[in-house]
Each structure stands twice: as structure tokens, then as C-alpha cells.
């Protein structure tokens, strides 16, 4: 063991992706692979609670655009076409705004700035992380559960809708929950924070805590976190010491999804999401 060459976790991850995703995605895989290995590109989620009305104009002068409103317009056009009968309508909250630079432009956003009350003007996140929140389609006064909430980007996005009658943000990790508290205090005024309950239960047992009560449930589960696994050695789930943990991920994900379903009231909606391309962690769990 001491003389054998140490293979970096990132290389093990990429080999696994080449084998499984290459088979699944075929000719698309080389471009997806290049995307995974490129420098991460962020979106700027505007903070509606901050007094920062100048920020949209500032970002537009830098050639950034709000991808949420663009996507909504495209969806409406598409739904008016022949495919409308085959697909449910895409609903997005007009209050959520997330600015991104054009494709191929890797300009970095400036760091977020505080307003007069100390609330930061925007939150930098992977823009794709907004998609589960938009799909959840929160309606006024909905009771919402974010079952695996930390570090808090999706929780913050849910609050930006302005529709949550109550938001339960849960994460089993106490250290990650501290990051969630920090984000809430940096972006959300106290009167809104008071509508959020933050807990650190094992999400698999949530139905024993408060089952059948939520209109909307977001189950954004732990996964192989493909970009991180391909790029970062730190805390990489493809490390040999974490092999068993990685193999058990689909079972954990299934248990969390079942708990999320049981947490929803009859007629409610559940969105299941990962940041992985894995069939085992996505389609197979849902099936």
C-alpha cells in the first residue's frame, strides 16, 4: 500500500464518468465533459430584501441578462406551439431574478455589497441550482419544506419568491446548517427570518416529525456532486475511504425522496433534484 501509486480522487471520478456517462450520453459526452472541467460560471441571484434597485441596471451595463425572465418568455412561446399539448405549463415567479453573462463569457461578478441595513445585494450561485426552485412553483401562503437545505442557496431562492407562508429548512449536518444561518442573516431581514424554521433532523425521519403538512417539498439530495468530484480533491466522494458511502448514495436518496413524499399533504408537489448526471441517482431513484 505504501509503494503503490496514489491515484487522485478527481482522476478516479473522471474515469467513472467517462465509463458511465460516455455510454449514456454518447456523442454529447465530450462537450458535457468539457463543461464539467471548465472554470465554474456563476449567476447573481438578486436579493429582493436589499435596498439595491440600482443593481439590475449595473449588471445589464456589464452585458449580463436575467436568465429567468428570458426562460419564461421562451417557455411561453414554446407552449403556444405544437408541443404545448404534450407538456405542462412552466410557471416561474416573476420576483426571482438571476443574472448571468452570455455563453462563453467567464467574466466574474464583483463581490456582493451590503445595503444600509447590512443586507447583501445578490447571492452568487450556479444558475442551474435555481431550476428546482422554479419547478417547485411556490404559490402564495404555501407551506414549503427544503429537506436538505444547507448550505442555503435554494432556501434563499425560495424566500425570494415572496410566497412562502412558512418555510422549513432542514439539514442533517450541523456544520452546514451554521452556513445556512449565516446566509439567512446576511440576506434576509428578521421579520422574514421569523417565518423560517431551521432544523438538523435526519431527513429520512422527517415524516415522524411533521408528516403530511407541506404544500411543496424540495428534496435536493446529497449526490456525487459531479463538478466538485472532477475538479476538487478536498472532501471528494470518490476518495477510496468513501467508497461505501458513494455506493450507498442511491439508497439514501430513495429514503430522502420517500420522506419528502410523506411530508407533503395530499395534492402537494415534490421536486427531487441532484447535481449529478448519474442515471442511478436520478431516473432510477424516481422509478
Amino acid at each position: 500500500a505504501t509503494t503503490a501509486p496514489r491515484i487522485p480522487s478527481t482522476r478516479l471520478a473522471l474515469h467513472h464518468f467517462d465509463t458511465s456517462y460516455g455510454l449514456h450520453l454518447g456523442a454529447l459526452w465530450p462537450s458535457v465533459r468539457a463543461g464539467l472541467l471548465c472554470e465554474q460560471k456563476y449567476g447573481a441571484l438578486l436579493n429582493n430584501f436589499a435596498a439595491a434597485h440600482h443593481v439590475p441596471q449595473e449588471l445589464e451595463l456589464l452585458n449580463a441578462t436575467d436568465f429567468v425572465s428570458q426562460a419564461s418568455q421562451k417557455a411561453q412561446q414554446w407552449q403556444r406551439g405544437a408541443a404545448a399539448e404534450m407538456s405542462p405549463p412552466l410557471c416561474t415567479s416573476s420576483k426571482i431574478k438571476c443574472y448571468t453573462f452570455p455563453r462563453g463569457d467567464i467574466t466574474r461578478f464583483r463581490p456582493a455589497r451590503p445595503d444600509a441595513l447590512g443586507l447583501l445585494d445578490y447571492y452568487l450561485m450556479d444558475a442551474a441550482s435555481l431550476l428546482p426552485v422554479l419547478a417547485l412553483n411556490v404559490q402564495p401562503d404555501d407551506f414549503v419544506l427544503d429537506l436538505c437545505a444547507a448550505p442555503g442557496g435554494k432556501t434563499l431562492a425560495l424566500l425570494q419568491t415572496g410566497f412562502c407562508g412558512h418555510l422549513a429548512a432542514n439539514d442533517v449536518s450541523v456544520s452546514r446548517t451554521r452556513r445556512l444561518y449565516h446566509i439567512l442573516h446576511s440576506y434576509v431581514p428578521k421579520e422574514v427570518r421569523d417565518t423560517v424554521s431551521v432544523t438538523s433532523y435526519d431527513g429520512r425521519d422527517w415524516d415522524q416529525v411533521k408528516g403530511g403538512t407541506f404544500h411543496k417539498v424540495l428534496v435536493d439530495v446529497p449526490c456525487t456532486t459531479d463538478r466538485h468530484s472532477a475538479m476538487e480533491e478536498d472532501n471528494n466522494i470518490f476518495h477510496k475511504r468513501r467508497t461505501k458511502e458513494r455506493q450507498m448514495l442511491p439508497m439514501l436518496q430513495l429514503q430522502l425522496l420517500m420522506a419528502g413524499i410523506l411530508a407533503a399533504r395530499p395534492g402537494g408537489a415534490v421536486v427531487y433534484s441532484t447535481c449529478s448526471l448519474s442515471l442511478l441517482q436520478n431516473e432510477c431513484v424516481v422509478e
Side-chain angles (χ1 to χ4, degrees):
T2 56
T3 57
R6 180 180 175 275
I7 303 175
S9 303
T10 49
R11 190 186 301 176
L12 290 173
L14 202 53
H15 174 71
H16 173 80
F17 297 157
D18 284 334
T19 303
S20 57
Y21 300 166
L23 184 65
H24 172 50
L25 296 175
L28 290 174
W29 171 235
S31 61
V32 175
R33 188 184 198 270
L36 275 180
L37 296 175
C38 283
E39 181 178 350
Q40 186 161 6
K41 184 176 174 179
Y42 290 95
L45 173 67
L46 292 196
N47 183 14
N48 295 323
F49 303 116
H53 307 298
H54 63 284
V55 174
Q57 184 178 8
E58 175 189 331
L59 295 177
E60 287 164 9
L61 287 173
L62 296 173
N63 203 29
T65 55
D66 173 22
F67 93 89
V68 180
S69 61
Q70 286 184 337
S72 181
Q73 293 168 6
K74 289 180 180 177
Q76 291 171 4
Q77 294 170 1
W78 184 69
Q79 286 162 4
R80 285 194 289 265
E85 298 177 2
M86 301 169 57
S87 175
L90 173 67
C91 298
T92 62
S93 168
S94 60
K95 294 184 179 181
I96 292 183
K97 297 186 182 300
C98 186
Y99 281 79
T100 58
F101 290 109
R103 185 172 184 174
D105 184 344
I106 57 171
T107 303
R108 288 179 174 270
F109 289 98
R110 61 161 174 78
R113 295 171 182 159
D115 67 2
L117 297 177
L119 298 177
L120 298 177
D121 53 6
Y122 56 62
Y123 178 77
L124 297 180
M125 65 190 304
D126 188 322
S129 296
L130 269 186
L131 299 180
V133 174
L134 296 174
L136 204 57
N137 190 24
V138 178
Q139 298 298 305
D141 298 322
D142 273 353
F143 276 48
V144 182
L145 169 61
D146 189 353
L147 192 61
C148 308
K154 295 181 181 66
T155 302
L156 179 61
L158 286 166
L159 290 173
Q160 298 303 315
T161 66
F163 288 159
C164 297
H166 176 73
L167 176 60
N170 177 76
D171 199 278
V172 68
S173 169
V174 175
S175 61
R176 284 166 57 88
T177 302
R178 290 196 194 101
R179 294 173 61 188
L180 172 58
Y181 273 116
H182 176 71
I183 286 176
L184 290 175
H185 280 80
S186 299
Y187 288 88
V188 182
K190 184 180 185 305
E191 61 270 20
V192 179
R193 292 201 305 269
D194 288 342
T195 68
V196 182
S197 59
V198 179
T199 55
S200 294
Y201 297 116
D202 186 330
R204 293 172 291 184
D205 302 326
W206 184 269
D207 63 296
Q208 300 174 27
V209 181
K210 196 181 289 186
T213 56
F214 293 93
H215 299 95
K216 303 290 169 63
V217 180
L218 176 59
V219 187
D220 184 59
V221 294
C223 64
T224 47
T225 320
D226 292 352
R227 179 189 290 277
H228 177 87
S229 295
M231 298 288 283
E232 302 287 340
E233 282 297 309
D234 183 48
N235 200 31
N236 194 310
I237 200 167
F238 281 86
H239 192 286
K240 289 185 177 180
R241 286 197 299 266
R242 302 184 70 185
T243 300
K244 186 69 173 177
E245 178 186 352
R246 188 175 75 251
Q247 291 171 343
M248 292 300 293
L249 271 176
M251 179 56 68
L252 170 64
Q253 293 160 344
L254 176 60
Q255 292 168 331
L256 287 167
L257 176 55
M258 291 300 297
I261 292 170
L262 292 171
R265 63 174 60 190
V270 179
V271 168
Y272 172 83
S273 61
T274 76
C275 44
S276 169
L277 298 168
S278 167
L279 278 171
L280 283 175
Q281 299 175 63
N282 290 293
E283 289 87 342
C284 291
V285 170
V286 173
E287 287 173 12

